[in-house]
Amino acid sequence: MWTLYKKEILGFLSSITGWVVIGIFLTATGLFLWVLPSGLNIPDGGYANLNGLFSLAPFVFLFLVPAVTMNSLAEEKRSGTLELLLIRPLSGTKIITAKYLAAFTLVVLSLLPTLIYYFSVYRLGYPVGDIDTGGFWGSFIGLLFLGAAFVAMGIFASSLTNNPIVAFLTAVVISAFIYMGFDFISSFFGGAALFVQAFGISAHYASMSRGVIDSRDVIYFLSLILFFLYLSVSFLGRRKWK
Amino acid sequence: MRKQNNAPAQKTKKQYRKWLLTVIFIIAAANYLGSFYFTRIDLTSDKRFTLAGVTKNVLKQLDERLVCTVYLKGDFPAGFKRLEIQTREILEEFQAYNKNVRFIFVNPSASGNLKKREHFYRRLVNIGLNPTNLQVKTKNGLEQQYIPSSVTKAEKYLLNC
């Protein structure tokens, strides 16, 4: 399993995908947080915090994570290399886990350089170092959970089809719906609105992004990941042999 | 060959379906149980989202629906935007402990019609929410002084629950 994991990571980093994903993520967040005059702009905002990063990053991930995961299974199916993988003494669960961890590692790698933002705000604060360090790490953990959930959905979308573009679009739709969709439809449910919202990510991400880790939210994210990875394993095992 | 391959595939399909139900059941059970026994860890350095024990007790005893209407919404300068967000955050924090706490944010100046807006303001005055005109020329620095007194001084009305 770890061999496959290593191979996947090297695949990301030796091809252009990995670097483009990391590059776009940093460009997008960098522009919105430091350059463009938007509500998220840190120097204009005047407060030494990185809340902007944590409200912006989910939307960037919404498009970047599917781009990372779209190839993971769909491409292997199309080029026929999936059979090679399946005849190895490697269970479907392990294949999915390895691919999942590899894609998640890439997400973590793209997040690591944002520590520079933290350092910048740390230095810019008045007095220097006046930044809520604990809150930052809490939000950072929240963002990792969010990324992890998006990766699981992306892997699932990739297991459905053998066309990477279809996998990409499916992943975007699934992630966007689970991230925000339940919020939108919740107004149709009147009294049960809160219950419906609880199915969506944004209700759980909200408190995490302010640095409050709730055990319920952690359970929610873990269940989401487990659910989609399980579905991917079953779709992988279910496919017909040519 | 094909038939032989199909037979076990059929079997696994059934197995997967059976397991899927199990997985869904486990997930539902974990989330359900988790909603009764939970902890919230506030990692912020000033613990600004930690509720006092008294507050938690009051929230626990609340068994009727409590709807808060907050008249703090609209095109604000950054400081008030922040006040709005933080009000929302603390209300969400209440809600995390008791789902009976609900809140609505209302923009008192939403209506484009001046008469309607005046009428709405008057209604708010009648329930004891006095408006004060807000004259914020926002460039950083000046704001800082303004914010602490802003809850009572806001042109936009604030109703606490």
Side-chain angles (χ1 to χ4, degrees):
Chain A
M1 186 179 119
W2 294 110
T3 327
L4 179 60
Y5 169 76
K6 265 182 220 157
K7 179 227 145 204
E8 287 285 316
I9 291 277
L10 289 178
F12 282 133
L13 296 183
S14 61
S15 75
I16 194 145
T17 334
W19 300 108
V20 166
V21 165
I22 295 176
I24 291 185
F25 179 76
L26 292 176
T27 317
T29 52
L31 276 178
F32 277 106
L33 294 180
W34 300 99
V35 183
L36 297 178
S38 66
L40 301 170
N41 193 307
I42 294 174
D44 283 359
Y47 290 96
N49 63 38
L50 275 162
N51 295 351
L53 172 67
F54 297 110
S55 54
L56 174 69
F59 292 96
V60 185
F61 274 169
L62 209 52
F63 294 97
L64 281 187
V65 171
V68 174
T69 56
M70 68 179 185
N71 277 335
S72 62
L73 293 159
E75 185 60 36
E76 299 242 25
K77 276 192 220 164
R78 184 155 75 166
S79 57
T81 44
L82 190 63
E83 268 81 4
L84 286 178
L85 211 54
L86 286 172
I87 58 173
R88 298 267 152 196
L90 200 59
S91 66
T93 318
K94 279 186 177 162
I95 295 176
I96 297 284
T97 316
K99 293 202 172 254
Y100 173 75
L101 288 179
F104 180 60
T105 309
L106 192 69
V107 169
V108 175
L109 282 183
S110 72
L111 271 178
L112 281 184
T114 59
L115 294 181
I116 295 172
Y117 301 165
Y118 170 77
F119 181 72
S120 314
V121 175
Y122 181 91
R123 297 294 302 177
L124 282 171
Y126 183 79
V128 168
D130 188 22
I131 181 174
D132 189 348
T133 306
F136 172 78
W137 286 111
S139 317
F140 201 79
I141 294 170
L143 198 52
L144 286 180
F145 271 113
L146 183 97
F150 280 177
V151 172
M153 290 170 211
I155 297 273
F156 166 67
S158 188
S159 75
L160 291 178
T161 164
N162 57 9
N163 183 338
I165 304 296
V166 175
F168 174 81
L169 293 175
T170 320
V172 172
V173 170
I174 294 178
S175 326
F177 181 74
I178 296 188
Y179 181 54
M180 302 174 293
F182 285 107
D183 269 11
F184 294 145
I185 60 170
S186 70
S187 53
F188 296 127
F189 290 87
L194 270 187
F195 180 72
V196 176
Q197 272 174 20
F199 281 94
I201 290 179
S202 67
H204 296 271
Y205 180 66
S207 81
M208 274 193 158
S209 73
R210 344 185 243 275
V212 183
I213 310 283
D214 190 319
S215 61
R216 287 170 292 184
D217 299 338
V218 174
I219 293 177
Y220 168 81
F221 276 110
L222 292 181
S223 342
L224 204 63
I225 295 164
L226 178 74
F227 178 69
F228 278 102
L229 287 188
Y230 177 75
L231 281 185
S232 328
V233 172
S234 53
F235 269 96
L236 188 73
R238 206 187 255 198
R239 73 188 292 274
K240 289 193 188 97
W241 291 83
K242 276 173 200 153
Chain B
M1 261 321 259
R2 219 173 150 197
K3 262 202 170 153
Q4 266 179 353
N5 266 339
N6 256 350
Q10 283 288 323
K11 210 175 182 181
T12 49
K13 212 171 182 176
K14 248 184 206 162
Q15 274 176 352
Y16 281 128
R17 209 163 282 165
K18 210 166 111 193
W19 267 99
L20 180 64
L21 288 178
T22 321
V23 167
I24 291 178
F25 178 75
I26 291 173
I27 287 175
N31 279 284
Y32 183 70
L33 287 176
S35 68
F36 292 110
Y37 308 100
F38 62 90
T39 42
R40 285 174 84 80
I41 308 167
D42 184 0
L43 289 173
T44 54
S45 50
D46 47 359
K47 299 273 170 274
R48 63 179 177 278
F49 298 115
T50 306
L51 299 182
V54 186
T55 316
K56 281 185 205 166
N57 276 339
V58 170
L59 285 171
K60 232 174 253 167
Q61 286 158 14
L62 180 74
D63 42 15
E64 268 174 52
R65 186 157 292 183
L66 173 74
V67 182
C68 311
T69 316
V70 185
Y71 296 97
L72 187 72
K73 194 182 174 186
D75 271 333
F76 295 133
F80 278 91
K81 199 76 208 163
R82 203 175 151 80
L83 180 67
E84 180 195 334
I85 290 169
Q86 288 184 339
T87 314
R88 189 187 296 271
E89 282 176 349
I90 202 72
L91 285 170
E92 275 174 6
E93 209 59 31
F94 289 164
Q95 201 174 48
Y97 285 94
N98 194 329
K99 292 271 181 279
N100 282 326
V101 177
R102 304 290 166 100
F103 51 86
I104 321 164
F105 275 73
V106 177
N107 182 355
S109 321
S111 172
N113 185 336
L114 200 70
K115 254 191 187 159
K116 270 187 188 164
R117 214 190 306 173
E118 287 291 317
H119 183 69
F120 192 71
Y121 287 162
R122 225 169 294 135
R123 259 176 47 202
L124 287 178
V125 172
N126 285 341
I127 55 172
L129 293 166
N130 285 316
T132 311
N133 276 323
L134 163 83
Q135 347 115 334
V136 170
K137 274 267 182 266
T138 40
K139 257 299 144 200
N140 315 326
L142 224 152
E143 252 175 55
Q144 284 280 344
Q145 299 177 325
Y146 235 92
I147 291 160
S149 58
S150 59
V151 175
T152 45
K153 276 202 169 177
E155 168 222 347
K156 329 285 163 175
Y157 322 78
L158 183 88
L159 173 65
N160 259 329
C161 35

